Amino acid sequence: MITIEFPPPDFKIITENEKDLIFDRFRKKYVVLTPEEWVRQNFLNYLVTTLKYPAALIGIEKEIYLGELKKRYDIVVFSKNHQPWMIVECKEMGVPLGQATLEQIVRYHMVLPAAYLVITNGVNTWCCEHNVPAGRWDFIEMLPPHK
């Protein structure tokens, strides 16, 4: 498991029609502030502020197709060559990370082959690196520097 110290939040939050909205600086719009969105925004802030991942190479909530099923990934970090490099699946804080979450992100990997898979619920974070020669995923102890 990876320990993450999230930077202090400096989010813009408003209330409209009795719903809290948070400004997503990546999508450049307000989105409904769900418990999962809170985790996603904090994790994005960590990637850009603490790890210095380039914001221009991060995709959020885009549609992909798994066969005929339409899904949306949470976060994809692209390489400098604009290829999927890391897929991040966010869950709300109360949701335990387990086999089902890993299976979900591995399915996304079938469409978006990436070197790293990350699952987080804001409290626990796990990262796997694709060990291509061995044909397996290895858990690693820290998020890699962006390449």
Side-chain angles (χ1 to χ4, degrees):
M1 184 172 67
I2 298 169
T3 302
I4 293 180
E5 291 252 351
F6 290 110
D10 61 348
F11 306 124
K12 296 177 190 172
I13 299 173
I14 62 171
T15 301
E16 245 180 44
N17 299 325
E18 298 182 17
K19 288 186 180 181
D20 289 331
L21 306 173
I22 188 168
F23 187 75
D24 183 326
R25 67 183 187 170
F26 299 90
R27 292 179 273 181
K28 298 187 179 7
K29 66 179 184 176
Y30 280 93
V31 296
V32 176
L33 180 54
T34 63
E36 182 177 312
E37 190 63 43
W38 180 253
V39 171
R40 181 174 21 254
Q41 291 300 319
N42 276 281
F43 199 79
L44 286 164
N45 193 29
Y46 174 76
L47 291 178
V48 173
T49 304
T50 304
L51 296 184
K52 306 298 184 207
Y53 285 20
L57 295 177
I58 296 176
I60 298 120
E61 285 275 303
K62 303 277 187 199
E63 285 184 355
I64 57 172
Y65 285 90
L66 299 173
E68 294 186 17
L69 291 175
K70 186 169 34 171
K71 298 289 185 182
R72 295 179 78 82
Y73 63 71
D74 283 323
I75 302 168
V76 171
V77 180
F78 294 91
S79 68
K80 292 176 183 170
N81 297 329
H82 303 282
Q83 298 302 310
W85 177 72
M86 175 185 284
I87 305 171
V88 181
E89 178 61 29
C90 300
K91 299 295 184 190
E92 65 182 78
M93 286 186 184
V95 174
L97 304 176
Q99 188 67 30
T101 310
L102 281 172
E103 289 173 4
Q104 178 183 3
I105 200 166
V106 167
R107 283 191 300 272
Y108 293 168
H109 178 265
M110 292 175 1
V111 177
L112 298 164
Y116 299 94
L117 302 180
V118 177
I119 58 175
T120 186
N121 62 9
V123 176
N124 299 307
T125 301
W126 300 91
C127 182
C128 299
E129 180 176 24
H130 197 193
N131 184 331
V132 177
R136 68 174 189 254
W137 290 95
D138 296 327
F139 285 96
I140 58 177
E141 295 184 15
M142 59 189 307
L143 295 176
H146 185 264
K147 293 183 183 180

